[in-house]
Amino acid sequence: MIVPIILYGSSVLRKRSVEVTPDDNIREMGELLLDTVKKADGIGLAAPQINLLKRIIVIDTSPIIEESDEKYESVLINPEIVDYEDDLTIYKEGCLSFPGIFEEIYRPDTIYVKYQDLSFNIHEEKLNGIKSRIFQHEFDHLNGILFIDKMEIIKRNLLRGKLNRIRKASLLQKI
Ligand code: CO
């Protein structure tokens, strides 16, 4: 099942999501997120983007990685960034809550993360490259942080018209 993706402008995207507990129906939430990100041809999605203020994100690199053995698809519960290195990289990011907007954003390449899987097993990993990039972008959503917050002010100002159009469209969304 797919659900609408909340657009920039909605206050939901600025809220902090709460920890997931074993009482939550995480399999259903994970499935909704994965179905929705695939339908939208995205590479990552966070629960607040489908109006669920829970700490769940999904990563699906299949739209951008051709080699099947390097593809990564995962539902990550209660993700945390434990540490990061100062190896900043630049990458042109988009966000499904900001249709049509792509902008270069600086983030560390190497991060050390912790999360739980759908069985609540704890994983600790070192990530870099695209997985690290998506993890950081989606993790930010759980704290109400959006990629426009990380843009250089001058670039963000140039996008003002586009951002206003998305904000207006968000007013028409029924959530
Ligand atoms: Co996003």
Side-chain angles (χ1 to χ4, degrees):
M1 197 174 116
I2 63 157
V3 285
I5 294 171
I6 306 293
L7 292 173
Y8 167 64
S10 165
S11 60
V12 175
L13 296 181
R14 286 302 191 183
K15 291 185 178 146
R16 192 185 150 82
S17 295
V18 298
E19 294 274 316
V20 172
T21 69
D23 293 334
D24 288 309
N25 196 344
I26 50 172
R27 285 181 196 274
E28 193 184 320
M29 290 193 272
E31 218 165 284
L32 274 180
L33 282 165
L34 275 179
D35 288 352
T36 303
V37 78
K38 282 180 186 298
K39 179 73 181 174
D41 228 2
I43 54 177
L45 193 65
Q49 291 178 281
I50 61 164
N51 203 23
L52 284 173
L53 287 169
K54 298 281 182 178
R55 300 186 84 79
I56 304 185
I57 63 174
V58 293
I59 296 177
D60 175 14
T61 62
S62 55
I64 53 169
I65 304 231
E66 283 172 11
E67 293 295 319
S68 60
D69 55 340
E70 286 173 17
K71 279 182 189 163
Y72 179 81
E73 179 185 308
S74 198
V75 179
L76 313 175
I77 312 290
N78 297 326
E80 289 171 57
I81 297 174
V82 180
D83 204 1
Y84 53 87
E85 288 180 13
D86 55 5
D87 51 352
L88 283 186
T89 56
I90 195 163
Y91 183 85
K92 201 167 220 175
E93 289 184 22
C95 178
L96 292 173
S97 296
F98 292 79
I101 294 186
F102 297 90
E103 196 51 75
E104 290 176 329
I105 309 282
Y106 284 98
R107 296 187 191 265
D109 187 36
T110 308
I111 56 172
Y112 300 86
V113 303
K114 200 172 163 180
Y115 60 89
Q116 288 154 267
D117 60 27
L118 288 169
S119 306
F120 285 101
N121 295 315
I122 295 171
H123 296 258
E124 287 181 279
E125 285 172 20
K126 175 185 179 180
L127 299 182
N128 47 40
I130 192 66
K131 282 192 325 195
S132 163
R133 176 63 61 162
I134 303 169
F135 190 107
Q136 292 178 68
H137 177 115
E138 304 311 333
F139 174 79
D140 278 348
H141 275 296
L142 304 183
N143 294 327
I145 298 168
L146 303 171
F147 80 142
I148 52 168
D149 305 339
K150 308 245 162 180
M151 277 178 202
E152 291 167 52
I153 299 291
I154 191 162
K155 288 184 177 166
R156 186 172 162 164
N157 285 344
L158 290 170
L159 292 170
R160 204 180 297 151
K162 278 187 179 177
L163 290 172
N164 282 338
R165 278 195 290 278
I166 298 171
R167 240 199 315 251
K168 276 186 194 153
S170 83
L171 296 175
L172 302 172
Q173 280 194 310
K174 290 186 180 65
I175 56 166

